[in-house]
Amino acid sequence: MIVKKRDDDQTVASMILEDVYHALKEKGYNPISQIAGYLLSGDPTYITSHNNARGNIRRIERDELVEELLSSYVKQRDL
């Protein structure tokens, strides 16, 4: 799957991760733990269905989500 970018260079994967993070936070979950659980296991029940977060995160392959997270980490650390 090719990850498309918006005008401000934010990828679709990045936007979805951001939306999922906020949905998990709103429901009182620890977003980092829940997203990590999903990425490691592939079990979609780690992600709430609130605001269609579960459906959205499943639109992107897990390896692409990991790549986006690592890319963001590298950019923030200026590595």
Side-chain angles (χ1 to χ4, degrees):
M1 173 183 277
I2 296 173
V3 178
K4 298 179 182 175
K5 294 188 176 190
R6 294 188 331 179
D7 292 338
D8 61 359
D9 288 338
Q10 186 177 19
T11 64
V12 173
S14 175
M15 292 184 304
I16 287 175
L17 283 168
E18 191 174 311
D19 290 344
V20 168
Y21 180 92
H22 291 295
L24 288 163
K25 194 91 166 155
E26 284 176 14
K27 293 301 281 183
Y29 296 110
N30 179 334
I32 302 301
S33 295
Q34 297 303 112
I35 292 171
Y38 169 70
L39 293 174
L40 291 171
S41 71
D43 184 358
T45 60
Y46 275 98
I47 307 300
T48 182
S49 59
H50 179 66
N51 290 341
N52 198 32
R54 186 178 301 153
N56 286 337
I57 203 166
R58 292 182 79 192
R59 291 179 34 213
I60 305 290
E61 296 291 330
R62 288 183 327 188
D63 61 335
E64 291 181 43
L65 294 170
V66 171
E67 184 178 333
E68 180 61 36
L69 289 169
L70 290 172
S71 174
S72 176
Y73 178 80
V74 167
K75 284 179 190 176
Q76 286 180 352
R77 297 288 185 195
D78 199 29
L79 301 175

